[in-house]
Amino acid sequence: MERNIFTDEQNMFREAYRKFLIKEVEPCRENWREAGIVPREMFTKMGEQGYLLTWADEKYGGLGIQDFRYQQIMMEEDAVYGEAGFFHTLHSRLVGPYLIRGDDEEQRARFIPKAVSGKCILAVAMTEPDVGSDLAGMKTNAQDKGDHWLLNGSKTYISNGINADLVVVAAKTNPDNPRQIGLFLIERGMQGFERGRNLKKMGLKAQDTAELFFNDVKVPKENVLGDAHKGFHYLMHGLAEERLIGAVGYVACSQRAFDITRDFVQERKAFGQRIADFQNTRFKLADLRTEIDLCQVFIDKCVEMHNEGQLSTEMAAKAKLYASEMEGRVMDECVQLHGGAGYMDEYEICRLYTNARISRIYAGSSEIMREIIARSIFD
Ligand SMILES: Cc1cc2nc3c(=O)[nH]c(=O)nc-3n(C[C@H](O)[C@H](O)[C@H](O)COP(=O)(O)OP(=O)(O)OC[C@H]3O[C@@H](n4cnc5c(N)ncnc54)[C@H](O)[C@@H]3O)c2cc1C
């Protein structure tokens, strides 16, 4: 399906970014997967080219680009030439924006330039061993000690957890009110801040997803993000964009899976004919083509709405729900059409399949998305 939504300048940006990926990322993917982590220098290489926190104001070293299509382009190129476990989008768009939500100029000046350059890698820590979807049940807590906060608790499944220099950590700040949480900026080297294992996963092998521990960490007041009791408010603020980011990536990966499967079935033969010539294959690919195109139109509309400041939580939830569920269906059919090869790690479809399984779980699971959409129907 032809899409005419990008400007000439954006098409040039796509070309430049693609060249960067082909030179700096594509040749290293296998090594990173084996190592279970992307080298820190990759963040600085991205930073040098202006690819991190592109939205940040020029006074912090950013490009000041507010048009979300630039991020969309990067994610679409990542699906083909990038490495799924290299979570620069989490750094740039999921965590970076927290730094402006606290409305503290000193904090922005201290952290944003380093995040833009890639010298300070970002992570966000909400999930705990006993709590994921239901954040109000978190146990990590911070006590106000007058001139500092004392942070205690643990987090798990934290993306960029090993590489991170700055972690936005959610913690309860009022033992009598589970809805009152604060967001604390925890820096590498703070006493009492320890990292646990780099967790072994089904997919996203190059992603350093880790456990984090906080034992009596003294957090200076200047490392509290905004109001220490309004963490939920800051979390909610970015949710629509976070879900849109997910959706954009899932449809891009579905497109990639479709493309490589279309090529594969034209090469592979069985019973004296190409797999592509079986009616079953043609119909399956016709169904997938239709689903992906329909989803793409909806996602592009959501991007347009987001650029206009009109994307609602409920629309973003629909985008995330549909794109992630569709991605699951697409990956499954594409593995099937690859036959045994689809189960082999050396085939790209195998990795796309295992990477995709998390899309329906993190950044708000499909069930939570359905809850949000249902609320908009009945409330
Ligand atoms: C690779 C990876 C990276 C991650 N990165 C991060 C990160 O950077 N930072 C971070 O904080 N967390 C991160 N997470 C955690 C992730 O966000 C959580 O796993 C997710 O929110 C689900 O929480 P949970 O695992 O506790 O599952 P649970 O909340 O225990 O859910 C278990 C099941 O119950 C369902 N369920 C829960 N509540 C309801 C309900 N009300 N109605 C119906 N069904 C329900 C869920 O949908 C799910 O199917 C990551 C996880 C993974 C695997």
Side-chain angles (χ1 to χ4, degrees), residues 30 82 101-102 105 108 129 223 257 338 374:
E30 205 49 54
R101 279 178 212 149
E105 187 48 43
R108 293 177 183 185
N223 279 36
H338 273 74

Side-chain angles (χ1 to χ4, degrees), residues 30-42:
E30 205 49 54
N31 288 346
W32 298 348
R33 273 188 223 115
E34 269 171 36
I37 193 162
V38 174
R40 295 178 55 81
E41 308 85 79
M42 274 317 299

Side-chain angles (χ1 to χ4, degrees), residues 87 90 94-95 122-135 155-161 168 170 199 201 203-204 207-210 355 358 360-371 375:
F87 270 24
L90 176 106
L94 271 73
V95 194
L122 308 176
V124 59
M126 311 282 162
T127 308
E128 301 186 356
D130 295 326
V131 168
S133 307
D134 178 17
L135 285 179
K155 300 285 177 182
T156 194
Y157 310 151
I158 305 309
S159 307
N160 291 348
V168 178
L199 299 160
K201 302 183 295 299
L204 297 175
Q207 167 49 221
D208 53 315
T209 311
N355 291 343
I358 190 59
R360 287 173 267 166
I361 298 172
Y362 67 6
S365 68
S366 287
E367 291 71 32
I368 298 300
M369 295 304 106
R370 290 187 179 102
E371 271 297 329
R375 250 178 256 154

